[in-house]
Amino acid sequence: MQTPSSPATRPTLISVRDMHVELASRPLFQSLSFDVHAGEIFAILGRSGCGKSTLLRYLTGLNHPTRGQVRVLGTDLATATRTELKEIRKHFGIAFQSGALLNSLTVRENIELPLRHHTRLDPSTARIMVHMKLELLNLSGIDHLMPAELSGGMLKRVGIARAAIMDPRLILLDEPTSGLDPVNAVELDTLLVKLRDTLKTTVVFVTHAVESALSIADRIMVLDSGRVAAIGAPAAIRTHPAAEVQALLGRMSRAPEPDADDYLARLTSGGD
């Protein structure tokens, strides 16, 4: 039996080099550089508000960096033509934090949207593909329901089914377990691994859920203050010496202990 190759020996699907982003003259990302390899689950971990979800906009070509390069499937997104971007986007799927389903369409119709936009499949074939994805995500028998009839966890899984409907090479997920109770969060984590293994795809997900990242990711990138604080396998992240990484893991306070005299002086000075 052949030993699976390490991520670093597999083809690179996403390559980010020295990416800087400034918004209103303020830095959002500084010197970001990282790769995502074929077949891995890559977690982008960080505190709420650190820019994780915003980063997805740059990985999909919706936004372009102030400087630096973002290459996806071998194409520089900043210089790609509209036709090239359209072709690239056929090969990746995106699932948003809320599911982003259209309330006027059924579950089946929502999942079929990419097929209608990018293919000319006959309705019966499209329906079979929808049922296969729903079954993969433990959602059999709900294709006729409306989004308003679904629970929060089901909405997220339907969004993932839509992202996966065309068997993409790359699936990008925004906070897939956010708002779920622990049982449903663990179930969704398990389904993401199943999705990767069944479709032979690559999964990139942004999250502030430390346990999800540590339990299913092949590699984790920790974002802090617009920079890469750490990147590596879960075992390396658990033992990483950087204070910001350990603070994210809940093992130490991010702020240093204040000097008692200084603290008392601030309280009695009225903040002056």
Side-chain angles (χ1 to χ4, degrees):
M1 182 174 179
Q2 187 176 4
T3 302
S5 59
S6 65
T9 64
R10 303 171 194 163
T12 299
L13 299 190
I14 298 176
S15 177
V16 176
R17 289 292 176 270
D18 197 30
M19 188 180 92
H20 294 252
V21 174
E22 293 182 2
L23 297 178
S25 299
R26 298 183 61 181
L28 176 63
F29 299 119
Q30 303 176 64
S31 303
L32 289 191
S33 292
F34 63 93
D35 294 324
V36 177
H37 305 288
E40 71 175 331
I41 297 179
F42 186 87
I44 302 172
L45 181 62
R47 296 172 180 271
S48 296
C50 76
K52 305 181 304 298
S53 296
T54 302
L55 179 58
L56 290 183
R57 297 185 62 85
Y58 293 88
L59 299 184
T60 56
L62 294 175
N63 291 356
H64 299 311
T66 306
R67 64 180 185 275
Q69 187 180 68
V70 179
R71 298 183 69 87
V72 176
L73 304 178
T75 299
D76 185 340
L77 298 185
T79 60
T81 66
R82 181 173 299 181
T83 300
E84 289 171 333
L85 284 174
K86 183 177 180 180
E87 183 62 30
I88 292 169
R89 287 171 179 156
K90 293 180 183 179
H91 300 287
F92 64 74
I94 307 170
F96 301 95
Q97 184 174 161
S98 63
L101 304 183
L102 298 180
N103 292 328
S104 60
L105 302 181
T106 65
V107 165
R108 176 178 62 80
E109 290 168 337
N110 267 284
I111 297 173
E112 283 178 346
L113 284 175
L115 296 177
R116 294 180 184 178
H117 185 67
H118 294 297
T119 75
R120 295 182 178 179
L121 290 175
D122 63 88
S124 60
T125 301
R127 189 172 295 111
I128 290 171
M129 293 179 68
V130 169
H131 289 162
M132 289 175 64
K133 294 305 184 295
L134 288 173
E135 183 174 340
L136 180 62
L137 291 164
N138 295 347
L139 291 172
S140 297
I142 72 160
D143 54 302
H144 63 288
L145 297 180
M146 304 299 289
E149 300 177 273
L150 305 180
S151 67
M154 294 169 73
L155 284 169
K156 286 179 178 289
R157 282 186 281 162
V158 171
I160 294 171
R162 183 175 60 189
I165 188 63
M166 292 182 62
D167 296 339
R169 296 176 64 187
L170 181 64
I171 296 177
L172 306 172
L173 309 175
D174 184 9
E175 297 280 8
T177 60
S178 177
L180 300 183
D181 63 74
V183 173
N184 280 318
V186 170
E187 180 184 6
L188 187 52
D189 285 342
T190 302
L191 289 173
L192 292 181
V193 176
K194 179 182 177 183
L195 186 73
R196 186 272 307 270
D197 294 343
T198 302
L199 300 184
K200 308 301 180 186
T201 190
T202 301
V203 176
V204 177
F205 72 102
V206 303
T207 184
H208 65 273
V210 174
E211 288 308 315
S212 288
L214 291 174
S215 64
I216 68 169
D218 295 293
R219 289 190 304 136
I220 299 169
M221 180 174 72
V222 178
L223 282 183
D224 184 78
S225 301
R227 298 180 181 274
V228 176
I231 189 166
I237 297 300
R238 288 181 187 273
T239 59
H240 199 280
E244 55 267 35
V245 176
Q246 291 304 311
L248 184 63
L249 299 181
R251 293 174 181 158
M252 64 173 62
S253 173
R254 185 180 180 87
E257 287 294 326
D259 178 82
D261 291 335
D262 289 343
Y263 181 57
L264 181 60
R266 288 201 304 271
L267 291 178
T268 58
S269 69
D272 295 334

